[in-house]
Amino acid sequence: MIANRPTSRWIHKIMTDLKTEIACIQLGNIHVIPITSPEIAREILIKQDSIFASRPANWSSEYVSSGYLSTILVPYGEQWKKMKKVMANELVSPRRLQWLQDKRVEEADNIVSYVYNQCNKNNGGGLVDMRLVARHYSGNIIRRLVFNARHFGKGREDGGPGFEEVEHIDAIFTVLRYLFAFSISDFVPCLRDLDLDGHKKELKKATKLIMKYHDPLIEDRIQQWKNGKRTHQEDLLDVLISLKDTNGSPLLTLDEIKSQIMDMMIATVDNPSNAFEWGLAEMINQPEILQKATEEIDSVVGKERQVQESDISKLNYVKACAKEVFRLHPIDDINATHVAMEDTFIANNTYFIPKGSHMVLRRQGIGKNPRIWEESLKFKPERHIQKDNDGFKNINLNEPSLNLITFSTGRRACPGIMLGSTMTIMLFARMLHGFNWSVPPNKTSIDLSESEGGTIKAKPLVALATPRLPAEVYY
Ligand code: HEM
């Protein structure tokens, strides 16, 4: 494992060399079973979902979830059921999202004016770091929904993130990087104290940094509810504190609230921001796609106002672009690992899967599978557009067929489909509608290389923006 970093690339190479869509690699005493076949993925997440609905029990998951208190990283059982229900019914339900709509729109307005300010700084056309824009839009939204605050500190005058927000988002991405990076301590627990790959140290540092920002806000808010200073719910933290069990006592402990908020943060910022950064990069390199998406938005919205969430259902081509990014450029090749809770056979009894095996559905492996997708390496949004008798079929970013993995399916499926889709499409739509985009001067195209360690873009996307709407629309 040490010689073959990053492990996800090594697994990819093994599978490519063996020309296989399923493999079994023993790491420590664990059978890791990577899969790039949508048929086998369906068997795991649909047909035999009840067997494969657990998660690994290891140091990284236990540490980040404060002892398995939340949802994403928690093995199957009563605690996971309790917290998943809270997440799905209380935090990201359609009713709750409706309640929080104004906050999301304010964050979309803020990010548009931030980019607009960058254009004006450089006499009407500015170079903009779109990784920063995308990550901070996502971070601003989730901080706003949870803590009713965009900034932990003072922010910046131009609407950009302050030092505290940059530190917060960087720490979230560090946690995500090491959480699913096949840490040696997770597979060979007796080597845990040695921390041979340094993952443990990095994860601890980043998790503590995130908690440094969250904990005082959470503790102070609980105090406000206790001493009667707060009586009215304004955000998701208030919701979590106010939940009651059947006896009328608080449903969640302080540690459960903290852990569930950590889940919301790590679940929300990565996918929408990564999708947008890659999407814009691909579209700048294929201007006809950029133009088609922009024309669609103009035809639905006009040029006298900003895009609103109510426009999303009509933006089918924009949705196709986003879906195509999730196919080609998921934030990580590795879907959150599923663990077999008993011995079983899969693929018409061809493969025996021992209890405890780690089932690793490879998002990029499935998304680029040439048996399923024609010209599988090409960014081609049209492939997602299907016409029915009444015209275009409405496009949904979710793909329960698992021919590509966006939100996955089954018991461990993502509960944040509506929030995640809305955030992603709004970011695409606001940015494409508000600005013309092109490569920076002295460049002929955007470099689409992936980072060495994973699937994010190797270099942050820096693009040239010019406003395309009347000035008053930006304010
Ligand atoms: C575009 C945005 C998003 C994408 C593409 C996405 C995708 C995913 C995927 C692929 C999984 C793993 C499913 C599996 O294990 O098979 C997942 C899990 C999860 N997601 Fe999301 N997600 C997004 C946004 C969100 C948001 C906004 C939230 C909530 C605030 C959220 C909450 C969760 C939770 C709690 C889980 C774990 C579910 C469980 O283990 O039972 N996600 N997501």
Side-chain angles (χ1 to χ4, degrees):
M1 282 178 81
I2 294 173
N4 292 293
R5 290 316 219 180
T7 309
S8 57
R9 288 243 193 272
W10 176 51
I11 292 177
H12 170 68
K13 185 170 180 323
I14 292 174
M15 296 182 80
T16 313
D17 291 350
L18 293 173
K19 297 192 175 55
T20 183
E21 295 187 6
I22 178 166
C24 177
I25 299 164
Q26 191 161 345
L27 296 180
N29 58 359
I30 294 171
H31 295 100
V32 174
I33 304 188
I35 289 157
T36 59
S37 149
E39 293 84 356
I40 299 180
R42 284 195 280 276
E43 191 160 346
I44 290 164
L45 294 187
I46 301 173
K47 202 167 150 203
Q48 301 201 42
D49 178 44
S50 59
I51 292 180
F52 292 109
S54 200
R55 296 276 195 229
N58 57 34
W59 182 86
S60 307
S61 299
E62 188 176 357
Y63 186 77
V64 173
S65 66
S66 307
Y68 302 120
L69 287 181
S70 50
T71 314
I72 305 178
L73 304 167
V74 179
Y76 190 78
E78 289 311 311
Q79 183 65 16
W80 168 74
K81 282 187 197 162
K82 171 181 170 183
M83 300 308 273
K84 178 101 185 216
K85 203 166 148 194
V86 166
M87 181 73 81
N89 295 351
E90 304 294 344
L91 303 180
V92 291
S93 65
R95 181 178 57 98
R96 198 63 80 195
L97 292 186
Q98 186 60 38
W99 179 59
L100 295 166
Q101 185 179 6
D102 290 351
K103 298 187 199 298
R104 290 193 302 278
V105 171
E106 274 178 38
E107 294 315 319
D109 290 347
N110 174 70
I111 210 71
V112 170
S113 39
Y114 171 72
V115 175
Y116 187 67
N117 287 339
Q118 304 311 301
C119 300
N120 287 341
K121 263 185 192 165
N122 296 311
N123 301 327
L127 286 176
V128 190
D129 176 346
M130 296 312 286
R131 178 168 297 174
L132 183 130
V133 165
R135 290 187 175 185
H136 288 285
Y137 162 77
S138 305
N140 291 349
I141 288 210
I142 195 62
R143 282 190 294 267
R144 196 69 202 279
L145 302 191
V146 173
F147 297 121
N148 199 20
R150 179 180 304 149
H151 303 297
F152 290 124
K154 290 196 176 124
R156 276 190 352 217
E157 262 185 25
D158 63 2
F163 167 80
E164 294 84 353
E165 291 74 55
V166 172
E167 197 175 54
H168 184 237
I169 292 292
D170 285 352
I172 290 174
F173 275 89
T174 305
V175 166
L176 288 163
R177 182 158 81 239
Y178 291 108
L179 201 48
F180 302 114
F182 295 93
S183 169
I184 292 171
S185 320
D186 290 343
F187 290 88
V188 193
C190 61
L191 297 179
R192 184 174 293 171
D193 289 342
L194 296 179
D195 191 20
L196 288 175
D197 48 20
H199 288 194
K200 201 174 148 192
K201 184 167 153 238
E202 294 296 333
L203 254 185
K204 268 189 165 177
K205 201 167 110 193
T207 308
K208 281 189 182 149
L209 244 170
I210 299 172
M211 281 147 85
K212 174 185 91 177
Y213 287 113
H214 295 182
D215 288 1
L217 294 175
I218 298 171
E219 286 159 19
D220 178 57
R221 187 75 69 81
I222 291 180
Q223 229 17 67
Q224 289 181 29
W225 278 96
K226 274 194 183 144
N227 62 26
K229 278 195 185 150
R230 203 171 181 95
T231 51
H232 180 67
Q233 291 183 10
E234 281 182 11
D235 54 30
L236 295 177
L237 176 54
D238 287 332
V239 172
L240 286 168
I241 295 171
S242 309
L243 290 173
K244 298 280 185 283
D245 65 13
T246 43
N247 301 320
S249 306
L251 179 69
L252 303 178
T253 64
L254 171 63
D255 287 341
E256 284 175 331
I257 293 175
K258 287 181 178 175
S259 189
Q260 192 77 329
I261 287 178
M262 173 71 88
D263 262 23
M264 293 206 78
M265 293 290 161
I266 61 177
T268 307
V269 294
D270 57 345
N271 278 294
S273 57
N274 179 66
F276 173 69
E277 188 188 355
W278 269 115
L280 186 59
E282 290 274 10
M283 290 161 106
I284 291 175
N285 280 359
Q286 294 191 62
E288 62 289 355
I289 297 181
L290 189 62
Q291 189 184 343
K292 204 166 159 186
T294 311
E295 280 171 9
E296 178 187 71
I297 305 170
D298 284 348
S299 73
V300 171
V301 179
K303 284 187 160 185
E304 307 302 317
R305 66 171 177 90
Q306 300 270 8
V307 182
Q308 299 303 324
E309 289 188 0
S310 54
D311 298 313
I312 288 178
S313 65
K314 299 183 207 107
L315 300 177
N316 260 332
Y317 191 73
V318 176
K319 283 189 267 181
C321 293
K323 196 161 181 174
E324 183 66 343
V325 185
F326 282 116
R327 183 185 72 80
L328 266 185
H329 303 292
I331 178 82
D332 199 331
D333 186 27
I334 308 295
N335 186 37
T337 302
H338 287 238
V339 173
M341 291 189 277
E342 49 187 83
D343 289 350
T344 187
F345 286 88
I346 57 169
N348 295 325
N349 286 343
T350 313
Y351 303 109
F352 172 63
I353 307 291
K355 179 178 173 181
S357 298
H358 286 195
M359 311 307 288
V360 172
L361 304 190
R362 290 186 42 215
R363 290 170 85 177
Q364 210 173 30
I366 291 177
K368 287 184 182 176
N369 186 328
R371 191 169 56 76
I372 308 297
W373 299 100
E374 257 177 40
E375 293 185 280
S376 66
L377 303 183
K378 194 164 178 211
F379 183 79
K380 207 167 110 181
E382 281 73 13
R383 68 173 89 238
H384 302 291
I385 294 187
Q386 297 162 343
K387 280 186 186 171
D388 61 13
N389 294 340
D390 305 326
F392 290 115
K393 246 189 176 163
N394 192 20
I395 290 180
N396 195 330
L397 292 195
N398 194 17
E399 183 71 41
S401 80
L402 301 177
N403 281 342
L404 67 111
I405 296 185
T406 47
F407 297 96
S408 189
T409 191
R411 284 172 177 69
R412 300 304 297 230
C414 177
I417 298 178
M418 270 183 73
L419 177 58
S421 301
T422 305
M423 284 173 64
T424 309
I425 305 304
M426 274 295 271
L427 183 55
F428 268 95
R430 284 287 185 114
M431 288 298 128
L432 300 184
H433 186 230
F435 306 94
N436 296 307
W437 294 100
S438 54
V439 290
N442 307 327
K443 290 237 161 89
T444 48
S445 65
I446 302 287
D447 176 8
L448 297 179
S449 317
E450 287 180 349
S451 67
E452 249 182 51
T455 54
I456 65 167
K457 222 175 134 315
K459 290 190 192 133
L461 171 65
V462 176
L464 192 62
T466 49
R468 59 184 296 281
L469 302 176
E472 61 276 12
V473 178
Y474 294 94
Y475 294 105

